[in-house]
Amino acid sequence: MTQVAHKPRFAVGGRAPATVNRPPRGRGVRRALTGWAFAGPATFIVIGLSLFPAVWAFFISRTKWNGIAPATDVGWRNYQRLAEDPGAIDAARQTLLLTVTFVPGSIILGILIAVALNRKIRFIGFYRTCIFVPYVASAAATGILAGYVFSPQFGIVNAALRHLGLPAQQFLESPSQALLTLVVIALWGEVGFTTVLYLAALQDIPSELVEAAVVDGAGPWRVFRHVTLPHLRPVTVFATVWQTITALQLFDLIYTTTRGGPLNTTQTVVYYVYELAFQTRRLGYGAALAYLLFLVTLVLTAAVIVYNRRRGSEAF
């Protein structure tokens, strides 16, 4: 009996069909379980400390509740009352003023200081450390220290003004100066963050571009305007979004300095939420204001990102 050798079957084109080396099913399950063993605890922490409280706060915002007695469902009434609340309107106005002064100031100072620290000079590491240390320090500690520095009676700033023959100022105790003083304190604590961002971006700019611009006859200002600034645009978008969120959520600095005073001139939205929820025990109304602040922050962030993407800047 003759044996017929079976020839391998080939696919179209004369090529053998590709074989897929799939791992055994048990090994894939073990890999998935191993991955969840590492990621699971962090996932549960995020859900338990972030997502679940946020969802629960939304249901609280539709109730009238003092945290002790049973909650009463009021629907969207808390949100409707916010438009007629003079305290919420004043807090929104002061938060807006704080944001429009703090964010551009932190961006401009960050760029200027980063350009100054991007030079090869002696003790440059020490100077960079001094700029970044206030950002690492606690905001509560910064507020307590600022209370002594800007004290009308024995503060260092007023002592310097008297030495120069200038009148002493009230600073944090003046209704017309308190918010601006808080902006200065916040800039002192936050400008180190934007400086580090811009310093890293400046060091990523190709030196060939700067050298080519100098060879073409461009001066320092034209090099900065036409070479440096375009490369800093993505960092500027990120810093703007980040600092806007920081300004809208500023609380600990206000709590350790003015407590919303004098005469509620430094009462921001976040501090007003704190007063509603934890001092007057109006948890539902405070949660509604907190959710409204979240929506405003989300809309502003999305608007900045979309606007800059249309201009060709990809920061996110």
Side-chain angles (χ1 to χ4, degrees):
M1 180 181 295
T2 60
Q3 295 182 352
V4 179
H6 295 281
K7 297 182 179 180
R9 298 179 180 178
F10 293 97
V12 178
R15 296 181 180 179
T19 59
V20 180
N21 295 325
R22 296 180 179 179
R25 188 171 183 180
R27 185 182 301 176
V29 173
R30 287 196 300 270
R31 288 182 178 179
L33 292 177
T34 302
W36 277 108
F38 285 99
T43 304
F44 286 122
I45 290 175
V46 171
I47 294 176
L49 298 181
S50 300
L51 298 181
F52 174 74
V55 175
W56 188 39
F58 173 73
F59 289 105
I60 294 176
S61 69
R62 292 172 49 85
T63 64
K64 181 180 180 181
W65 187 41
N66 61 0
I68 301 175
T72 303
D73 188 12
V74 296
W76 301 101
R77 195 179 308 166
N78 287 331
Y79 293 90
Q80 296 172 356
R81 290 175 56 192
L82 288 174
E84 304 173 355
D85 186 359
I89 295 175
D90 290 341
R93 185 184 301 112
Q94 279 132 208
T95 303
L96 178 62
L97 182 59
L98 174 68
T99 303
V100 299
T101 52
F102 169 76
V103 176
S106 63
I107 298 298
I108 295 173
L109 287 176
I111 294 177
L112 295 178
I113 298 175
V115 171
L117 295 179
N118 197 35
R119 301 176 180 272
K120 295 181 180 180
I121 57 178
R122 296 184 61 185
F123 307 113
I124 188 63
F126 173 75
Y127 300 144
R128 293 174 180 175
T129 303
C130 291
I131 292 296
F132 191 68
V133 163
Y135 176 74
V136 181
S138 169
T142 301
I144 296 173
L145 178 62
Y148 290 101
V149 173
F150 290 98
S151 174
Q153 291 78 23
F154 48 84
I156 300 176
V157 178
N158 270 336
L161 292 177
R162 295 188 188 98
H163 182 73
L164 296 174
L166 300 175
Q169 305 295 322
Q170 295 297 313
F171 294 118
L172 293 173
E173 297 182 7
S174 171
S176 60
Q177 299 177 358
L179 189 62
L180 182 59
T181 305
L182 279 178
V183 172
V184 174
I185 299 171
L187 286 174
W188 181 80
E190 294 288 336
V191 74
F193 175 74
T194 55
T195 300
V196 170
L197 289 180
Y198 282 115
L199 186 59
L202 288 172
Q203 294 176 355
D204 285 340
I205 297 177
S207 59
E208 294 82 5
L209 295 178
V210 179
E211 294 173 358
V214 172
V215 170
D216 291 340
W221 168 246
R222 295 188 63 183
V223 171
F224 178 76
R225 180 181 177 183
H226 297 287
V227 178
T228 304
L229 283 182
H231 283 82
L232 298 181
R233 185 177 299 170
V235 179
T236 301
V237 176
F238 174 79
T240 301
V241 172
W242 186 273
Q243 296 297 76
T244 300
I245 296 174
T246 300
L248 292 176
Q249 297 182 350
L250 189 64
F251 170 78
D252 40 10
L253 185 62
I254 298 174
Y255 183 82
T256 55
T257 52
T258 62
R259 300 290 180 94
L263 302 177
N264 293 333
T265 54
T266 60
Q267 186 181 64
T268 59
V269 173
V270 176
Y271 193 83
Y272 190 49
V273 170
Y274 163 75
E275 285 190 344
L276 290 174
F278 300 103
Q279 292 187 352
T280 62
R281 308 297 299 176
R282 300 162 65 185
L283 296 179
Y285 192 56
L289 181 57
Y291 253 91
L292 183 60
L293 177 63
F294 164 73
L295 291 177
V296 171
T297 305
L298 183 64
V299 170
L300 289 177
T301 303
V304 172
I305 294 175
V306 171
Y307 173 75
N308 284 275
R309 281 187 175 180
R310 289 181 178 180
R311 296 187 61 184
S313 177
E314 295 287 342
F316 291 89

